[in-house]
Amino acid sequence: MPYNLTSYYQNFYENSPSGFFKTRLEDGEFIRANKYLVKLLGFPTFKSLKENSKAVDFYLPGDREELINILINEGEVFNFKVVITLLDETKKTVLINAKLSNSRKFIEGTVLDITEAPSQDHTRVAILDRLQDIRHSIKKMMNNYSSAG
């Protein structure tokens, strides 16, 4: 039985743990979005997403324009970090990787929700706290060693 590559990629697209999308550059109309992105944006189906919103509805003022400027000037963008606002006013931090289509009329890309991911600031604080603990432990050992000697 021959391997059906088209079916494989269709299944990957639909069931990926990342959001895939295609929107119209001009007005943000959704042309395609996979299940992950539809769910992330708070909709039950792609049809309801397409009928009730456009990509522009989720961005904070100026963010979509910045993304488009990068796309127009560079053709693609990687790890564009942005906060989106869902219809219920929930805020999500996402990373967008995108490119302009060959016709330069569409944006195609991926969205990854990093809302729950630890930020570098939290990681840095945790490391500094741990270093402080180590410093205190060394200082205590040195004091014990000095008083014992």
Side-chain angles (χ1 to χ4, degrees), residues 52-101:
N52 295 294
S53 67
K54 294 184 177 187
V56 69
D57 298 335
F58 300 99
Y59 289 92
L60 296 176
D63 286 347
R64 184 168 188 271
E65 291 78 10
E66 182 181 353
L67 175 67
I68 288 172
N69 284 335
I70 294 169
L71 289 170
I72 288 171
N73 292 321
E74 299 178 24
E76 58 191 7
V77 64
F78 298 98
N79 296 325
F80 184 79
K81 187 176 179 180
V82 65
V83 174
I84 59 172
T85 304
L86 306 181
L87 297 178
D88 66 359
E89 299 302 315
T90 301
K91 302 225 184 288
K92 297 273 187 179
T93 304
V94 299
L95 290 179
I96 298 174
N97 294 309
K99 68 177 190 70
L100 284 180
S101 65

Side-chain angles (χ1 to χ4, degrees), residues 1-2 9 16 18 30 49 55 59 75 100 106 108 113 121 124 131:
M1 184 167 139
Y9 283 114
S16 177
S18 294
F30 283 98
L49 171 67
Y59 289 92
L100 284 180
F106 302 99
E108 300 170 318
D113 181 6
D121 291 337
R124 192 174 304 121
L131 287 173

Side-chain angles (χ1 to χ4, degrees), residues 2-60:
Y3 188 71
N4 187 338
L5 198 55
T6 303
S7 175
Y8 171 81
Y9 283 114
Q10 182 65 34
N11 184 50
F12 177 78
Y13 175 87
E14 286 300 328
N15 298 301
S16 177
S18 294
F20 285 85
F21 69 91
K22 181 176 184 177
T23 59
R24 196 164 44 209
L25 177 66
E26 178 184 12
D27 61 3
E29 180 182 341
F30 283 98
I31 307 303
R32 277 195 305 263
N34 71 340
K35 292 175 190 176
Y36 177 93
L37 185 58
V38 169
K39 183 178 176 184
L40 174 68
L41 296 177
F43 289 86
T45 64
F46 173 71
K47 183 179 178 186
S48 63
L49 171 67
K50 185 172 177 66
E51 290 174 351
N52 295 294
S53 67
K54 294 184 177 187
V56 69
D57 298 335
F58 300 99
Y59 289 92
L60 296 176

